Amino acid sequence: MDETRVTRIVAALRARGVFAHVARTGVYQTGIRVVIPDGREVLWDTDGAAGLEAQIMRDGVLVGFVPDIPNSENLDENGVVDTIAATEYGDG
């Protein structure tokens, strides 16, 4: 995702009370980092893939995964915000 779009999505998520941040994982790679109160963090779309998916991390170790959400490549920003805000990450 382009950094300008990520910044707008992060702002919208924060407005909903989601602990979201811009994640910079490479020179041209940005995504969304969501901090979960139990100590995990979720990295959404940092790999540049078209669909929306996420890795769930704890202390830098992969502990879960949100698989590619069908048709998410067609979501507008509001759809991305709705999807991320509504995602349940299970017990950590």
Side-chain angles (χ1 to χ4, degrees), residues 21-42:
H21 308 276
V22 174
R24 291 176 184 84
T25 59
V27 177
Y28 296 107
Q29 290 181 319
T30 58
I32 300 153
R33 181 172 64 95
V34 174
V35 177
I36 304 173
D38 69 4
R40 293 177 294 160
E41 63 181 26
V42 183

Side-chain angles (χ1 to χ4, degrees), residues 1-83:
M1 261 191 264
D2 132 320
E3 188 169 350
T4 303
R5 183 175 189 216
V6 167
T7 301
R8 289 191 304 263
I9 292 169
V10 165
L13 286 165
R14 287 180 178 177
R16 291 188 182 197
V18 176
F19 298 117
H21 308 276
V22 174
R24 291 176 184 84
T25 59
V27 177
Y28 296 107
Q29 290 181 319
T30 58
I32 300 153
R33 181 172 64 95
V34 174
V35 177
I36 304 173
D38 69 4
R40 293 177 294 160
E41 63 181 26
V42 183
L43 299 173
W44 285 93
D45 256 358
T46 60
D47 64 359
L52 192 59
E53 80 271 338
Q55 297 176 346
I56 303 170
M57 312 290 285
R58 181 186 302 278
D59 298 323
V61 176
L62 181 68
V63 295
F65 189 72
V66 178
D68 185 46
I69 297 169
N71 300 314
S72 59
E73 65 275 4
N74 299 319
L75 293 174
D76 63 8
E77 288 180 16
N78 290 326
V80 172
V81 170
D82 290 343
T83 299

